[in-house]
Amino acid sequence: MKVFLAGTSLRTDYGGPAYSVSRLGVELAKAGICVGFWTPDGSSLTSPLLNDSRVTRLSGSLVDALKAFGRADVIHDNGLWLPHNHRIAVIAGELSTPRVVSMRGMLEPWAFRHKGLKKKAAWTLYQRYDLSRAIFHHAAAEPEASGIERFALNVPVRVIPNGIDIPGNSASNVRCPPTSEPARTALFLGRLYPVKGLPMLIEAWSRARPGGWKLRIAGPDEAGHKRELVAAVEREGLREVVTFAGRVEGEAKARELTGADVLILPSLSESFGVVVAEALAYGVPVLTTTATPWNELSTQGCGWLVEPNVNAIERGLRTVTSLDQATLSRMGIAGKEFASRRFSWDHIAKNFIQLYSDALANRG
């Protein structure tokens, strides 16, 4: 089977989709799928995320890339709204090639409102029609699928979560209770961007001021949002307990997760939230909001959900930081077991291969 996989960018500062889409391509290639990977910015040619020679890196215009790859059985596009997404829809229709569209959170209410006037115009002019001609829509979680279905596009929606790399059980990546009593660490890991809810977290931390805890904020600045966050930390008198780590990748990212006692994701909207699954895989329990699709944190005994507002986050912080290390460690073990069962990449790739096979069977 030949799959033409398109992403917006594989730059490391592009966020979760750069990782998720590239890792999917690599895992599909490992499973024997002929994968051609293209991005409009050319980053597919140089990105270290495509670290498997079995993936064909494609460049140039969309038309040139499709010609170089040869006749694809399935075109899998990731994302909405941009000119190349529309062009993919048009060409797939001209070629009568089944097209799968992964929304990547771009129909979520917060995302739809962002630059809302432009998106409403695009929706009317082409985006709704383009989506209605896909053979399948892909959502990363059930809440995102429900949101897509509310648009009444009459296209089946398949739910397949994002995958993660499951770390081994070596001492370097398993959280161990400390032998002394150093300050414990609450970690935020992700883009520094308004939708992530960090101003609420800083205010809630200032109210709770948990003794013996520090807050570490790791991730790339986007749209200058870090200035606002630094100012909030100064204003609240939290300079001694809140630190900014900047962008972290690879081993540095693993060290952040290994050194955390809890991950906090105070987002106002998430279609999935890969960092939650990554934290669980490292044995780190998670505090996040009901605006994320992570109800299973409670049922699996590995985290907490609170409403996305300052008062609720403050209450969540007080709950989490009142627990002893042994309790947090037990929750971390439960999370690691859950992540290993649910989010390993080989399992995710098999689900996508079945989706592509169904797309071919249903193309009419």
Side-chain angles (χ1 to χ4, degrees):
M1 184 187 301
K2 295 185 68 175
V3 175
F4 183 91
L5 196 57
T8 298
S9 179
L10 293 187
R11 300 191 315 271
T12 54
D13 60 356
Y14 185 64
Y19 166 79
S20 297
V21 182
S22 62
R23 283 294 287 113
L24 174 61
V26 169
E27 203 64 34
L28 289 171
K30 289 180 181 178
I33 302 298
C34 180
V35 178
F37 205 111
W38 177 81
T39 56
D41 66 355
S43 56
S44 57
L45 287 183
T46 57
S47 174
L49 297 174
L50 287 177
N51 56 355
D52 194 304
S53 61
R54 288 169 288 192
V55 177
T56 301
R57 300 176 185 241
L58 299 167
S59 62
S61 71
L62 175 61
V63 171
D64 289 342
L66 284 164
K67 285 181 179 179
F69 186 54
R71 179 77 181 188
D73 295 303
V74 176
I75 292 174
H76 181 176
D77 194 15
N78 290 267
L80 308 177
W81 306 117
L82 296 176
H84 76 273
N85 300 123
H86 175 53
R87 186 65 176 148
I88 286 172
V90 171
I91 292 177
E94 292 172 348
L95 297 174
S96 298
T97 303
R99 179 171 57 98
V100 174
V101 179
S102 291
M103 302 299 184
R104 303 296 172 188
M106 295 183 184
L107 276 186
E108 293 292 282
W110 189 94
F112 203 101
R113 290 192 299 268
H114 184 60
K115 300 181 180 179
L117 290 177
K118 289 184 178 180
K119 286 179 178 175
K120 287 179 181 178
W123 184 256
T124 301
L125 290 171
Y126 64 86
Q127 188 63 83
R128 182 183 181 91
Y129 178 68
D130 288 351
L131 287 174
S132 71
R133 292 195 299 160
I135 196 162
F136 282 113
H137 295 155
H138 161 239
E142 290 291 349
E144 184 185 21
S146 297
I148 295 167
E149 288 168 349
R150 283 195 289 271
F151 284 93
L153 297 164
N154 297 316
V155 174
V157 182
R158 289 283 182 88
V159 177
I160 304 174
N162 290 319
I164 56 169
D165 294 311
I166 306 295
N169 292 313
S170 69
S172 64
N173 57 32
V174 176
R175 178 71 185 172
C176 298
T179 55
S180 59
E181 293 294 332
R184 290 192 280 176
T185 300
L187 173 68
F188 168 87
L189 182 58
R191 293 179 301 142
L192 276 55
Y193 195 64
V195 74
K196 298 299 182 179
L198 285 166
M200 294 190 301
L201 175 57
I202 291 169
E203 183 177 347
W205 193 277
S206 176
R207 293 184 186 181
R209 293 190 181 262
W213 281 80
K214 291 189 176 183
L215 173 61
R216 189 158 173 82
I217 297 173
D221 182 24
E222 191 163 320
H225 189 51
K226 183 179 178 180
R227 290 193 300 272
E228 178 183 345
L229 301 177
V230 171
V233 168
E234 293 287 338
R235 185 171 60 250
E236 300 290 349
L238 296 174
R239 185 191 300 181
E240 298 302 316
V241 293
V242 179
T243 58
F244 292 86
R247 179 187 291 123
V248 292
E249 301 167 6
E251 288 299 319
K253 182 177 180 180
R255 285 193 299 271
E256 295 289 345
L257 288 166
T258 302
D261 294 272
V262 64
L263 179 93
I264 303 178
L265 183 64
S267 290
L268 298 167
S269 176
E270 291 283 348
S271 63
F272 184 69
V274 169
V275 69
V276 173
E278 291 176 328
L280 296 177
Y282 274 84
V284 182
V286 176
L287 170 65
T288 189
T289 73
T290 54
T292 74
W294 283 98
N295 292 335
E296 289 169 301
L297 292 177
S298 299
T299 60
Q300 298 293 327
C302 52
W304 308 263
L305 285 175
V306 298
E307 294 294 321
N309 60 66
V310 174
N311 290 337
I313 294 170
E314 177 192 356
R315 289 193 296 270
L317 287 175
R318 292 185 185 277
T319 296
V320 173
T321 57
S322 68
L323 298 175
D324 59 34
Q325 185 62 53
T327 300
L328 292 174
S329 295
R330 285 195 298 270
M331 296 181 73
I333 291 170
K336 188 174 180 66
E337 292 173 350
F338 170 55
S340 298
R341 290 193 309 270
R342 185 77 180 276
F343 304 116
S344 64
W345 270 114
D346 58 344
H347 176 66
I348 300 305
K350 289 175 184 176
N351 287 336
F352 271 104
I353 291 170
Q354 184 61 58
L355 174 60
Y356 300 148
S357 297
D358 293 345
L360 286 169
N362 296 333
R363 60 182 168 180

